[in-house]
Every structure is written in structure tokens, then in C-alpha cells.
Amino acid sequence: MGVLHDKVAVITGAANGIGRAIAARFAAEGAQVVVSDLDVAHGEALVGTIVAAGGHAVYVRADVSIEHDMRMLFSRALEIYGGVHIMVNNAGIEGANVAIGEYDMAEFDRVIDVNLRGVFLGMQAAVTHMVTAGGGVILNMSSVAGLKGFATLAPYTASKHAVVGLTKAAALEYATQHIRINAICPGAVVTDMIHRITMNDPATEAAYAKLQPIGRMGTPEEIAAVALFLCSDASSFLTGVALPADGGIMAG
Ligand SMILES: NC(=O)c1ccc[n+]([C@@H]2O[C@H](COP(=O)([O-])OP(=O)(O)OC[C@H]3O[C@@H](n4cnc5c(N)ncnc54)[C@H](O)[C@@H]3O)[C@@H](O)[C@H]2O)c1
């Protein structure tokens, strides 16, 4: 029996990349998974893959930056599975890769709306249910850019620092109500986001790999393994943690 047997997990940004790997891993560990994303085709395809392997999953389209969508996502999860034990606020966008002087303010607003407002709305929907249910686990996707500065990604960096702040404040607010709230701070992970940031340029990709002292980027599955730890009872004494999963970047 998997370690998430009988658990229901809602995962945002779950159609691709890190979110997809988390959804697949949680389903393999017995969770009933609500795959949420804007990307209908890849979201439904993932659900098909999980169900074909004997797991349980549904796709619900929701934009994390829209309050109504996040409330609807939770209502749907409760309607379908009768409860939610785990909420993973993973959806995020990198925004433009340019210096502050050239940054477009509409793009700035979009990065903050998805990465900060989206995580806040996801936590708000989750705690509203989890307080009544008697507990739960929330996992927010930050980044090493939530722990140190990255030039030409200032709004992204600021939004990921904010996710760490939200995680710590929320963990304190809900600690006595049996809701554990943690964050993962990944280094560079091989997903579409990294391919966009590096513009698929092999030299830039090699430079990104070298950012990690271990000399390579991470895989989505390696981040999913950390997510499983933080969302399972194995981490029952952890709350308010922003855990680097970064091949050693934050050791430097
Ligand atoms: N890839 C990396 O190197 C890396 C490193 C550190 C942190 N992260 C974080 O991990 C998370 C996942 O990143 P990824 O690399 O898998 O990215 P990705 O671009 O491969 O996947 C992100 C997913 O989020 C979805 N999404 C985007 N905006 C959304 C919205 N408004 N509502 C709902 N879904 C939305 C996309 O459709 C996509 O499926 C992000 O929060 C990202 O900032 C990634």
C-alpha cells in the first residue's frame, strides 16, 4: 500500500514539468489526485495515464490567480472525492528574462498574480476546508530564487521570496490546527520553464547545469520525491520550512 493511500491531493500546475511529476508520484503512492492546470490537453492526458495505470485522478481547469477558480477547484475536489488532505501550490511562471529597467509592468503584474496571489488563494481555499476537517498538509513551490537573488529575473525572484514568507506566516497561523505548511526551493530542474529561460541554447543550458555544485540540473522526479516526503507523515514534525532541493546551491 502506498504512503498516500486514502489521501486526496489537489495539485496546481500539474499538467507539465514538476507538477506533473508530483501528481504521477502521488497517484503511484495511492493518492486520489486532482490535476489542475490551464493546459487542458496535457492535464487530461496525465489523468488518462494515471487511470490507465490503475490510479485515481481527475482534471479540473483552474487559473490559480483567479479567486473564483480556486474556490471552484476546491468545491469540485470535495464533490468528487469528499475531502482534501494535501494541497500543492505548484503553478508558477518565470516572466520575462530582462533587467528591471526594461521590465514591462503588465508582465510584472502577471508574475505576481500567478506566483504570489495564486499561492495565497490556493492556501486560503485549502485552510478554509482543512480547519473544519481537522488538519491537512500544504506544500508551496518556491525556488532557490526564493532564497537568493537572480539577475534579470527580479519579479520572479521577488515572488518566490514572497512564497517563503507566506509559507512561514501561514505555518505559524495554522500550527495548532494540525495543518503543516512547507515550501520546496528547487534549483534548476529540466522542464519547459528551464528550456524557455535558456531559450534551448546548449551553452546557456550548460551554464545553468553548472549553477548546481553537483554539476547538473535536477529532474522533476527528484523534486516529486521531496514533495512526497513533505506531504506524507514522514515529515510530521516539519512546518514552516523552505527546503532547498538544489544540488548544493544554497550551501555556497
Ligand atoms: N524548472 C525549474 O528550474 C524550477 C526551479 C525552481 C522552481 N520552479 C517552480 O516550480 C513550479 C513548476 O515549474 P515547472 O518548471 O514545472 O514549469 P512548467 O512551465 O514546466 O509548468 C508549469 C505549469 O503551470 C501551469 N500554469 C501556469 N500558469 C498557471 C495558472 N495561472 N494557473 C494554473 N496553472 C498555471 C502551466 O500550464 C504549466 O503546466 C513553478 O512554480 C516554478 O516557479 C521551477
Side-chain angles (χ1 to χ4, degrees):
M1 197 186 295
V3 297
L4 298 183
H5 178 69
D6 278 346
K7 302 287 188 200
V8 177
V10 175
I11 303 168
T12 68
N16 298 288
I18 292 170
R20 184 182 199 282
I22 293 173
R25 182 70 197 272
F26 282 19
E29 293 291 344
Q32 296 164 304
V33 177
V34 180
V35 170
S36 186
D37 205 291
L38 292 174
D39 182 344
V40 181
H42 287 113
E44 287 182 342
L46 174 60
V47 167
T49 306
I50 290 171
V51 171
H56 301 278
V58 292
Y59 170 75
V60 178
R61 187 186 185 283
D63 183 332
V64 295
S65 67
I66 297 176
E67 186 175 357
H68 169 268
D69 278 23
M70 293 311 278
R71 290 189 187 283
M72 175 278 297
L73 169 61
F74 245 76
S75 310
R76 289 285 293 129
L78 293 172
E79 249 171 54
I80 296 165
Y81 291 127
V84 175
H85 309 97
I86 298 166
M87 174 72 184
V88 182
N89 293 304
N90 165 75
I93 56 173
E94 69 278 17
N97 192 0
V98 295
I100 291 171
E102 294 143 46
Y103 214 94
D104 175 72
M105 286 314 292
E107 179 87 342
F108 174 91
D109 289 343
R110 185 70 193 143
V111 170
I112 298 302
D113 277 355
V114 175
N115 295 5
L116 173 53
R117 183 182 161 84
V119 170
F120 188 88
L121 289 173
M123 286 205 297
Q124 193 172 55
V127 295
T128 303
H129 165 69
M130 288 174 182
V131 165
T132 317
V137 181
I138 299 174
L139 178 62
N140 297 327
M141 198 54 68
S142 180
S143 167
V144 284
L147 300 171
K148 67 193 291 269
F150 281 89
T152 70
L153 286 170
Y156 179 79
T157 304
S159 72
K160 292 300 183 179
H161 274 69
V163 170
V164 172
L166 278 184
T167 301
K168 290 180 179 177
L172 295 176
E173 285 181 19
Y174 292 96
T176 59
Q177 284 158 295
H178 312 291
I179 305 174
R180 296 192 300 107
I181 306 174
N182 293 299
I184 304 183
C185 299
V189 179
V190 185
T191 67
D192 292 347
M193 180 180 284
I194 276 292
H195 294 316
R196 288 191 299 270
I197 292 174
T198 61
M199 292 183 294
N200 283 316
D201 171 45
T204 312
E205 288 197 359
Y208 264 76
K210 279 197 193 135
L211 285 176
Q212 282 70 215
I214 68 170
R216 64 169 177 87
M217 294 194 224
T219 65
E221 290 72 23
E222 287 175 311
I223 305 304
V226 181
L228 179 63
F229 168 65
L230 289 175
C231 291
S232 72
D233 291 343
S235 62
S236 53
F237 201 48
L238 271 66
T239 196
V241 164
L243 185 64
D246 64 350
I249 293 177
M250 293 311 300

